Amino acid sequence: MSGVTRTPTHLTQGGTTDAGIGASTLRPDGTLKVTGEFAYSSDMWHEDMLWGFTLRSTVAHAEIVSIDTSEALAQSGVYAVLTYDDLPTDVKNYGLEIQDTPVLAHGKVRHHGEPVALVAADHPETARRAAAKIRIEYAELPLVTDEESATREGAPLVHEHRDDHHVEHVPHPNIVHRQPIVRGDAEAAARRADVIVTGEYVFGMQDQAFLGPESGLAVPGEDGGVDLYVATQWLHSDLRQIAPVLGLPEDKVRMTLSGVGGAFGGREDLSMQIHACLLALRTGKPVKIVYNRFESFFGHVHRHPAKLWYEHGATKDGKLTHLKCRIVLDGGAYASASPAVVGNASSLAVGPYVVEDVDIEAIALYSNNPPCGAMRGFGAVQACFAYEAQMDKLAAKLGLDPVEFRQLNAMEQGSLLPTGQEVDSPAPVAELLRRVKAMPLPPEHQWETTEGADVRALPGGLSNTTHGEDVVRGVGYAVGIKNVGFSEGFDDYSTARVRMEVVGGEPVATVHTAMAEVGQGGITVHAQIARTELGVEQVTIHPADTQVGSAGSTSASRQTYVTGGAVKNTCENVREQVLELGRRKFGTHHPAWATAELVLEGGKVVTDGGEVLADLVDVLEDEAIDLEREWRHRPTEPFDLRTGQGNGHVQYSFAAHRAVVEVDTGLGLVKVIELACAQDVGKALNPLSVVGQIQGGTTQGLGVAVMEEIIVDPKTAKVRNPSFTDYLIPTILDTPTIPVDVLELADEHAPYGLRGIGEAPTLSSTPAVLAAIRNATGLELNRTPVRPEHLTGT
C-alpha cells in the first residue's frame, strides 16, 4: 500500500469531557472540507495507477447482437478491455436483495446507460477514446415504461427468468413487489362518511444530486486479493456483493471508506466498485475510476417516481372515517431497494393520523426506465405528498382550519398504525403542528426597501422579472411520519470496537466502526459518546473499513441509533473492564472501590459522591483494553403479504413544516420565503448537527417541490437532462429561511432516548410548499415538481 497517497486518516478529537452528549461540538473534518484539504475518494492516487472507464448503452431496451473490442484494444496506452465474457466466475450478477443486476450487460440491455464494457488505460482520455472505438450492434426491443405497458396482455418481460421470492405473490412478472395493507372495512366506513375526497397524484423522479461523483481506487494485493478505497454507504454490503463476482473470499477484498461527498441513498447500490476491482486484478495495476457528472446520473439509482390514487372520508365534525389508496412506484430496470420502498410506502400511506378502516395497495414495477432505489425518505416521501394534499382537500370541504383538522386526527403514543402496530414512543404530531403554526410569520412585502424593490427577494430573483406586480403570498402546512432503521424482520445491527489506552501520558479512546460518514456527522457523535461513557478528553476515530464488523448502511436515519448504540454498548463494556482493572490494582486501598457506584470522569475514576479514587493513567499504565461488540435494536417482523399486518418498524420520527411562498401568477415563478420546521428528535446528541440535518432535509424536499426532476423521454426511455445544467437543485439563492423548533421527547427504547432525524423533514417540506402555492393561486397542483406552466396554464 506504500504507493497510495491521500488515504483516509484517523481523526483525533480533543476537548473537555463536557463536550459529550448534548454539546454542540464542531466536526473535526469541517475545516478540512471548507479549505479543500479533505481527501475525497476522487482524490485517491497511486504512483503507477491506470484509469478505468465504463462504456454504457445508448438505447434503453435491446438485444446485444455483437461487440467488437479489437480497435479499442489496439489503441496505444490501453491495458485491458472487458466485456461480460471476460468475467472471472459464474457469479455475474449482484443486488441489494435480488441479484438481478449484471456486472456488465449480457444478451440485452434493459435501460439507457447500462454498463456494457470496461477499459483500463494509462490516461483517462485514452480510456474514453478507446471506449468510443468499441463497436456494439443493438437490435432494439419494445419498451416497458409505465404500468399499462408493463402489465398488459403480452407485455414484454423486463426479466424473462425471475427466480426471486417476490415473484410468487405478484400478479405479473413485471411487478417487483406488491404489499397490501387491509384493516377494518373501508367500504363500509365509506358509507358512513359525510364527505369524501379523491385525488390522483404524480411524483417526479428525483436524483440524490450529491456533489462528489462515484469514484474509487482498486489496488491489487500481493496475496491475489484487492484493496478498494471507495465512497459508499455500506462497506459490508458492497463486500458481500463484490467478492463472489471476483471469485475471492471476503477476507481478500479489503475495503476502506474514502471521503464521501454526499450520498442520500444513491450510494447504497454498487456503481464502479466491481469494475475497478476487475480491471485491477486483470492488469495487475491499481485502477482508479472517477465518473463525470453525466456518468453519475447513470451510475446510481434515483428516487422512485410514483402515481398515487387516494380516497379519504370524514364525518361532518372532522373525524377521518376511512382511507383507500393505490401507490404505483416505478422501480426501473433492476430491483435495487424497491421491495423495501414498497413496504415503507404502503405501511406509512396513512400518514401520522388515526384511521381505523383502510384498504391500501403499493406496487413497484420493473420497466426500462432508469433503476430507482433508496433516497432520503424512502417511499414515505411520495405517500406524504399525496396524503397531505388530501388533508387540505378535506379541511376545505368541511370548512375547517387545515392545521386544526390535522390535529383532530393526529396519532399519539398508543395509537395503532394500519399495520396493527402500536406506536409505543412519543408521537407529538398535534404539538409539532401547534409549534410550527405559532412561529412568527415573515413580514409581508419584504422586498420593499426605501430604494425600491429588492429583486433578490422576489420570484424570478436577479432575473428582474417583477417588482411585485402579480405577486401573491401563500401559506401551507404539512406533517409526516417516517420509520427509523431497517424494518420487516431485517436483522438490523451494528458493531463497534473501542480501545482504551495511555498515549503520551494521557488516556485516549479509539473508536473503530464500519460506519460510512457521508456528511451526517456520525464521527462527531461517536466521539461525544466515548467522552460521555469513558470520561476521557482525547478520542480518535479510526477510518471505517471492513477490518471491523458491519455497521450496516448509513441510511434509514439509523446510524446514530444503531451504530451510536453499538459505540455506547462497547464503551460501557470497556468501562467495566477499566473499573475491574482498577479494583484489582487499587481496590484494597479504599473500600469505595467495592462499595460505591463508580464512573469515569475527567480522566479519573470517581465515586457517586465525587471522590476521586485513581487517575485513568495509573489504571491503564501497564495494559490497554480493546473490545468489539455488536448491538441490535428491538426485532421487527415481515408484513403479512395478504393483509399487511405486523410489527414491521422499530421507531418513528415526526416533523411538521409551515411554508410561506410568493408566486408571480403572471409568469408562474415561485419564491419560497420561509420553511419553518418543528421536529421531535428524542434527544439532541449534538444540537448543532441536529439543526443542520433538519435544514438539509428541508432543502432537499424544497428541491423536489419546485425544481428537481429527471426527465425520461416516454418514447425512448432515455434520460433527457443528465447534468446540473438541466437538472436543477436549490442553490443558496433558492434556499429560504429555515427556523427550527427542536422538541426532545425521549424514546425509552433507544440509546439516550434519541430518535433518527435525517429523513422526516424531507417528507413534510415538499407538501407544505405545494400547499402554500395552492393557497396563493387556488390551483389544484397534484404533481411534483411544480413548473411555471402549471401555474399559468401555458
Side-chain angles (χ1 to χ4, degrees):
M1 298 310 105
S2 59
V4 179
T5 62
R6 299 202 76 179
T7 54
T9 57
H10 291 68
L11 291 171
T12 300
Q13 303 186 44
T16 68
T17 51
D18 291 335
I21 293 304
S24 289
T25 59
L26 299 179
R27 295 176 52 152
D29 56 342
T31 300
L32 297 173
K33 287 180 175 177
V34 298
T35 59
E37 298 176 75
F38 186 80
Y40 289 97
S41 58
S42 56
D43 295 316
M44 297 294 105
W45 192 270
H46 199 285
E47 57 192 12
D48 59 345
M49 72 184 186
L50 303 176
W51 294 81
F53 183 77
T54 305
L55 180 68
R56 300 179 180 277
S57 66
T58 56
V59 294
H61 196 203
E63 292 181 355
I64 301 175
V65 178
S66 63
I67 302 177
D68 183 356
T69 62
S70 57
E71 192 175 348
L73 278 166
Q75 180 164 316
S76 176
V78 171
Y79 282 72
V81 179
L82 303 181
T83 66
Y84 177 91
D85 292 335
D86 299 303
L87 298 180
T89 73
D90 292 336
V91 180
K92 302 178 189 296
N93 286 10
Y94 65 90
L96 287 174
E97 178 191 338
I98 301 171
Q99 286 71 53
D100 64 354
T101 308
V103 174
L104 293 169
H106 174 61
K108 73 173 187 175
V109 295
R110 294 179 173 86
H111 70 93
H112 177 215
E114 181 165 353
V116 180
L118 307 173
V119 178
D122 57 7
H123 190 278
E125 286 307 312
T126 302
R128 292 179 190 280
R129 292 191 186 105
K133 294 180 178 180
I134 298 174
R135 305 302 175 202
I136 304 177
E137 183 182 352
Y138 294 109
E140 293 198 49
L141 297 169
L143 293 171
V144 173
T145 58
D146 55 20
E147 186 180 14
E148 195 279 328
S149 61
T151 59
R152 70 171 184 264
E153 185 176 353
L157 298 183
V158 179
H159 294 270
E160 295 85 352
H161 306 292
R162 285 185 63 180
D163 61 358
D164 61 274
H165 65 280
H166 294 290
V167 74
E168 299 174 359
H169 67 265
V170 295
H172 192 282
N174 281 339
I175 295 176
V176 185
H177 179 46
R178 174 181 180 268
Q179 180 63 67
I181 309 282
V182 180
R183 186 162 172 262
D185 188 339
E187 289 293 341
R191 292 191 290 271
R192 297 193 300 270
D194 295 311
V195 297
I196 291 178
V197 299
T198 62
E200 294 184 10
Y201 304 92
V202 177
F203 198 99
M205 184 186 296
Q206 186 183 18
D207 189 67
Q208 293 84 353
F210 39 70
L211 297 185
E214 291 82 350
S215 53
L217 174 66
V219 183
E222 295 179 358
D223 62 351
V226 64
D227 290 86
L228 179 61
Y229 302 85
V230 67
T232 181
Q233 287 179 245
W234 189 353
L235 286 165
H236 285 78
S237 176
D238 287 7
L239 175 63
R240 173 180 56 80
Q241 298 172 78
I242 294 168
V245 175
L246 302 181
L248 294 173
E250 290 187 359
D251 62 357
K252 285 197 174 183
V253 181
R254 297 166 290 268
M255 299 187 64
T256 301
L257 185 74
S258 295
V260 183
F264 313 114
R267 299 188 201 270
E268 279 207 5
D269 292 77
L270 298 181
S271 56
M272 47 62 61
Q273 288 94 320
I274 294 177
H275 296 164
C277 291
L278 286 169
L279 291 171
L281 292 171
R282 170 61 70 94
T283 62
K285 289 179 172 290
V287 174
K288 177 177 178 177
I289 296 179
V290 180
Y291 289 175
N292 61 29
R293 185 57 57 184
F294 176 86
E295 294 173 283
S296 182
F297 270 89
F298 299 104
H300 63 260
V301 299
H302 313 287
R303 188 190 298 285
H304 291 74
K307 293 184 177 179
L308 311 96
W309 177 86
Y310 266 74
E311 175 185 295
H312 281 89
T315 62
K316 59 186 177 183
D317 57 356
K319 295 295 290 185
L320 292 171
T321 57
H322 74 284
L323 163 72
K324 293 190 284 186
C325 78
R326 188 166 189 270
I327 301 171
V328 179
L329 302 156
D330 186 349
Y334 297 106
S336 180
S338 285
V341 174
V342 167
N344 266 20
S346 58
S347 62
L348 301 175
V350 170
Y353 304 108
V354 177
V355 186
E356 297 293 336
D357 299 278
V358 303
D359 188 350
I360 299 165
E361 180 189 31
I363 65 171
L365 302 173
Y366 275 126
S367 74
N368 296 122
N369 294 321
C372 292
M375 187 175 175
R376 192 177 200 163
F378 204 80
V381 166
Q382 295 92 324
C384 186
F385 169 64
Y387 64 66
E388 284 302 272
Q390 289 284 104
M391 292 300 102
D392 283 335
K393 282 185 179 181
L394 274 171
K397 199 163 186 177
L398 290 164
L400 298 175
D401 176 86
V403 171
E404 292 176 0
F405 174 67
R406 286 172 167 86
Q407 290 173 315
L408 180 64
N409 292 282
M411 67 166 49
E412 57 190 15
Q413 186 167 353
S415 296
L416 294 183
L417 288 163
T419 60
Q421 183 171 8
E422 179 185 348
V423 178
D424 61 356
S425 60
V429 179
E431 173 63 10
L432 293 174
L433 286 162
R434 186 195 67 77
R435 285 173 174 247
V436 80
K437 187 176 183 180
M439 290 185 187
L441 284 164
E444 298 271 2
H445 299 281
Q446 83 290 345
W447 64 79
E448 293 179 347
T449 69
T450 55
E451 290 79 24
D454 181 353
V455 295
R456 294 172 298 178
L458 281 162
L462 291 173
S463 59
N464 198 23
T465 54
T466 181
H467 284 201
E469 310 88 355
D470 298 325
V471 173
V472 293
R473 170 169 282 199
V475 179
Y477 295 87
V479 62
I481 176 175
K482 175 66 178 67
N483 65 309
V484 173
F486 295 150
S487 303
E488 299 187 57
F490 189 92
D491 183 18
D492 194 4
Y493 73 94
S494 187
T495 314
R497 181 181 299 152
V498 177
R499 181 178 177 85
M500 187 87 156
E501 62 188 325
V502 174
V503 177
E506 184 176 2
V508 175
T510 299
V511 177
H512 185 187
T513 75
M515 179 206 71
E517 171 58 68
V518 301
Q520 81 277 19
I523 52 173
T524 308
V525 168
H526 290 179
Q528 291 177 267
I529 292 171
R531 289 194 197 101
T532 297
E533 301 299 332
L534 299 177
V536 296
E537 296 182 1
Q538 294 296 322
V539 178
T540 297
I541 304 298
H542 192 287
D545 56 33
T546 51
Q547 306 309 303
V548 66
S550 177
S553 174
T554 299
S555 60
S557 304
R558 63 178 288 282
Q559 279 293 13
T560 302
Y561 190 129
V562 182
T563 304
V567 173
K568 180 177 186 289
N569 178 53
T570 308
C571 284
E572 289 169 346
N573 280 266
V574 167
R575 183 176 67 231
E576 288 306 310
Q577 290 208 12
V578 169
L579 293 173
E580 181 58 33
L581 183 60
R583 290 185 187 100
R584 292 201 305 267
K585 283 189 175 185
F586 307 111
T588 58
H589 302 167
H590 197 301
W593 277 100
T595 59
E597 288 292 324
L598 305 181
V599 296
L600 308 183
E601 186 177 287
K604 302 178 185 303
V605 179
V606 183
T607 70
D608 53 357
E611 184 178 0
V612 175
L613 298 183
D615 287 332
L616 281 178
V617 171
D618 296 328
V619 175
L620 295 167
E621 63 180 349
D622 299 323
E623 59 184 293
I625 294 173
D626 196 330
L627 297 179
E628 182 174 320
R629 295 287 187 270
E630 290 181 352
W631 188 84
R632 285 169 167 79
H633 62 55
R634 296 177 295 161
T636 59
E637 62 188 29
F639 297 124
D640 183 277
L641 291 175
R642 295 177 300 103
T643 66
Q645 300 303 290
N647 294 328
H649 300 306
V650 68
Q651 191 193 55
Y652 303 93
S653 58
F654 304 90
H657 278 89
R658 182 191 65 198
V660 180
V661 306
E662 280 161 355
V663 182
D664 184 333
T665 56
L667 294 176
L669 300 177
V670 176
K671 176 73 173 179
V672 181
I673 302 300
E674 181 186 84
L675 262 172
C677 181
Q679 182 167 343
D680 174 28
V681 304
K683 169 65 177 177
L685 271 59
N686 186 318
L688 183 64
S689 291
V690 164
V691 172
Q693 281 285 296
I694 293 172
Q695 291 176 331
T698 296
T699 304
Q700 215 154 18
L702 160 68
V704 76
V706 295
M707 59 180 65
E708 294 189 48
E709 184 178 13
I710 292 177
I711 304 297
V712 180
D713 189 321
K715 295 181 179 179
T716 64
K718 290 186 177 182
V719 177
R720 295 173 57 186
N721 58 334
S723 76
F724 281 169
T725 300
D726 300 307
Y727 182 90
L728 303 180
I729 61 174
T731 69
I732 191 64
L733 292 178
D734 303 299
T735 304
T737 302
I738 307 177
V740 176
D741 187 352
V742 174
L743 186 61
E744 296 183 81
L745 299 178
D747 177 355
E748 65 179 16
H749 308 287
Y752 303 112
L754 68 86
R755 194 183 301 276
I757 60 169
E759 295 174 284
T762 310
L763 271 67
S764 49
S765 52
T766 300
V769 171
L770 266 292
I773 299 173
R774 293 187 196 105
N775 179 248
T777 64
L779 299 172
E780 191 167 1
L781 302 176
N782 284 350
R783 81 172 314 276
T784 68
V786 173
R787 302 189 187 122
E789 59 265 31
H790 302 149
L791 302 178
T792 61
T794 58

